Amino acid sequence: MDPKSVLNFANDEGVKFVDLRFTDLPGSWQHISFPISQLTEDSFTEGFGFDASSIRGWANISESDMLLVPDPSRFWIDPFFEEPTLCLFADVVEPLTHEGYTYDPRSVAERAEAYLRSTGLADVAYFGPEAEFFVFDHVSFLNEPHHAFFRFESGEGNWTSDNPDENLGFRIRTKEGYVPVPPFDSLQDLRSEIALNLEAVGISPECHHHEVASGGQCEIDFRFASMLTTADNLMLFKYIVRNTALQYGKSVTFMPKPLYGDNGSGMHCHQSLWKDGQPLFGGDQYADLSEMALYYIGGLLKHAPAVIAFAAPTTNSYKRLVPGYEAPVNLAYSARNRSAAIRIPVFSKNPKTKRLEFRPPDPSCNPYLAMSAMLMAGLDGILNKIHPGEPLEKDIYDMDEAEKLHIPRLPASLEEALAALEADHEFLLAGGVFTRELITRHIEYKRKREVEALRLRPHPIEFQLYFDV
């Protein structure tokens, strides 16, 4: 699509506003709206000026002037706004150099795709995420110096089985929520409407179902695409899911572990490389993979502790990444074995289906940074021929402790992951994809705003454990 096509579409649809969407450093979507008369062909090169000083993780007030440059390749009508509003993804651009802003996550993903092409190894990286989420009927939380709590409610939650009002007895037991039919699964219609709304904005849903946890855990899969397009799709996906749920009077969270004692929400990322329309991960090695695919796996496993500082980037992420809840805490790869950090799907021998599934990420991540980091780790593996070693065919959770000692593990906390990123980030700097400034800003932001925020606060469980000491 070109700017003229966008303007023609806006005219045909009777659009009144244009809404530019961009992403802050932690990964939240932001937007600014303009009357449609402000959008011209020149806007797609000159951009719209805005103040970036109040965006999380971005500019200082002394250097806050930035440009939002809309991308004409993707546009849609917002399905929730009352007035017809055209939406576009926008890159954040430095006004003096007209180059992508250092801290703009989408610009990082664009540089990662350009670097991939510059290597000559491949011309496209396909990504397919499986983002899980919880749907709640009520949510409240508070953090004060003398008072802290959280509480959520779900009509499906097994903890509501004694509810005296409107209780017909169908509740999903802990860890038994995977694909039951109604009346246990009460969210079929909501998921179906989400899928229809996704189609309306150009995302192709492939299936939807209830997930393992009690309390309204769901998954809606959508079709894979190039890395940048997939990261764009994930931002739009979360927006559609949340706002469709709001129309049902419900609230959606993508936080990895809201519910103690049950499965958390992951975002397994399928990925493969292609060149000239041909798949590069099919071959005659383990699980019908190519040597290139094994090297990609080797790079991803080597750098995984640093990668998850972007791919599992919250303190809550590491409450999901614990043994016993289908969480891949061990750095190994295997065909079919879902206890490994990297799984090789074996549904088909067709080379076009050959891919790997990296299982540690979760949907709290900034997809532009997380997917770019995964790609850079994989490319480093290929370029340096990092072999992943032997696959793990045994279920890790059935091993004794002596056997487990020989399997490397992911960091056990965000603090450990940030330390791993601090020690291992040279592979991210290749081709100018990431910058030291962005990596440092990410580490500092996470340590100060999240790690320290949690570390310094008394926790309710501490009162249960220690009040009477």
Side-chain angles (χ1 to χ4, degrees), residues 56-100:
R56 294 186 303 169
W58 278 18
N60 298 318
I61 197 167
S62 60
E63 50 185 30
S64 60
D65 288 348
M66 293 291 163
L67 294 175
L68 284 176
V69 179
D71 183 346
S73 67
R74 182 77 177 279
F75 52 89
W76 67 95
I77 301 295
D78 190 281
F80 306 109
F81 291 167
E82 185 172 337
E83 297 294 342
T85 301
L86 176 73
C87 299
L88 297 117
F89 290 96
D91 294 320
V92 182
V93 170
E94 293 272 7
L96 299 180
T97 64
H98 239 71
E99 295 179 349

Side-chain angles (χ1 to χ4, degrees), residues 219-239:
E219 180 177 318
I220 302 175
D221 295 333
F222 56 87
R223 185 168 177 79
F224 68 89
S226 65
M227 188 190 72
L228 178 62
T229 300
T230 296
D232 285 344
N233 281 344
L234 189 60
M235 298 304 299
L236 182 51
F237 170 84
K238 293 172 76 170
Y239 175 80

Side-chain angles (χ1 to χ4, degrees), residues 410-442:
L410 288 169
S413 67
L414 177 58
E415 193 167 11
E416 289 183 18
L418 294 173
L421 175 61
E422 205 166 36
D424 176 27
H425 59 258
E426 290 295 324
F427 70 99
L428 297 172
L429 304 177
V433 174
F434 285 77
T435 63
R436 293 188 193 278
E437 292 81 4
L438 184 147
I439 293 168
T440 299
R441 180 72 60 89
H442 175 78

